[in-house]
């Protein structure tokens, strides 16, 4: 099956908690999250009449950070979707990777941003899932670690949904 607004709806129907109050797309500025936002936009208010908004985390770690922020703003303006940009400072403890520190800072900020009952949608796809599983196996993770990324988990005052875990990056790129 190729990725579409209908396939996104099917995953959300199956996994979005009954008490969900809105959808929030985590928008990085890349093609994967842009495709997710476009599909969510095409759903409109037809998915449980839930509101849709986007959030962009600005780590400021890359020279292209301003370009990513501007791309997110332009995309949201084109769809008339509210966008919140959250700047974060990434502390790097001794011995920790900058990627891990950035991920921790990002999820902390996203958790604080969620309003009660909102579902944060991230564009993790099947290749991300496979990479996570492989890394966990190489680290000698136990059963919990080898289960990789869940489709839905609590986050802040809402939930974190990964509705694209069975979608390939190629399908996302073809959609966008």
């Amino acid at each position: 099956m190729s990725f579409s607004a209908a396939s996104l709806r099917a995953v959300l129907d199956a996994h979005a908690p009954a008490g969900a109050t809105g959808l929030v797309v985590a928008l990085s500025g890349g093609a994967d999250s842009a495709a997710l936002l476009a599909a969510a936009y095409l759903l409109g208010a037809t998915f449980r009449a839930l509101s849709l908004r986007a959030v962009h985390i600005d780590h400021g770690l890359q020279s292209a950070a301003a370009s990513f922020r501007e791309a997110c703003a332009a995309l949201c303006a084109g769809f008339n979707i509210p966008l919140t940009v959250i700047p974060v400072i990434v502390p790097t403890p001794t011995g920790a990777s900058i990627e891990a520190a950035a991920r921790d800072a990002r999820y902390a900020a996203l958790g604080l941003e969620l309003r009660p009952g909102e579902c944060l949608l991230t564009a993790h796809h099947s290749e991300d899932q496979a990479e996570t599983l492989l890394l966990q196996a190489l680290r000698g993770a136990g059963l919990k670690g080898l289960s990789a990324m869940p489709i839905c988990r609590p986050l802040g005052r809402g939930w974190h949904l990964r509705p694209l875990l069975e979608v390939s990056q190629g399908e996302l790129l073809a959609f966008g």
Side-chain angles (χ1 to χ4, degrees):
M1 172 191 343
S2 63
F3 178 65
S4 66
S7 66
L8 176 61
R9 174 191 264 298
V11 174
L12 293 176
D13 279 336
H15 297 284
T21 60
L23 301 177
V24 181
V25 174
L27 197 57
S28 68
D32 300 344
S33 64
L36 176 58
L37 183 71
Y41 169 76
L42 290 173
L43 285 179
T46 63
F47 181 72
R48 301 184 193 169
L50 297 180
S51 62
L52 174 64
R53 65 190 186 96
V55 64
H56 172 73
I57 302 296
D58 185 355
H59 301 96
L61 295 175
Q62 298 175 330
S63 59
S67 297
F68 292 143
R69 186 177 57 249
E70 291 164 9
C72 292
L75 184 61
C76 287
F79 289 139
N80 196 29
I81 295 172
L83 172 68
T84 302
V85 176
I86 303 172
V88 297
I89 296 171
V90 179
T92 312
T94 304
S97 73
I98 190 69
E99 293 84 7
R103 182 182 56 249
D104 292 346
R106 180 170 55 251
Y107 281 112
L110 289 167
L112 290 172
E113 174 63 22
L114 285 181
R115 298 173 189 147
E118 284 186 317
C119 294
L120 176 73
L121 308 181
T122 56
H124 296 105
H125 49 73
S126 61
E127 286 90 337
D128 295 325
Q129 182 75 302
E131 178 182 317
T132 298
L133 182 62
L134 180 62
L135 288 173
Q136 293 289 17
L138 291 173
R139 290 180 183 139
L143 186 57
K144 183 178 179 186
L146 291 176
S147 65
M149 294 185 282
I151 290 178
C152 183
R153 69 178 181 98
L155 179 67
R157 296 177 291 172
W159 294 277
H160 176 195
L161 273 78
R162 296 177 177 102
L164 308 180
L165 289 179
E166 295 184 8
V167 176
S168 72
Q169 187 176 36
E171 290 178 77
L172 291 174
L173 296 176
F175 178 79

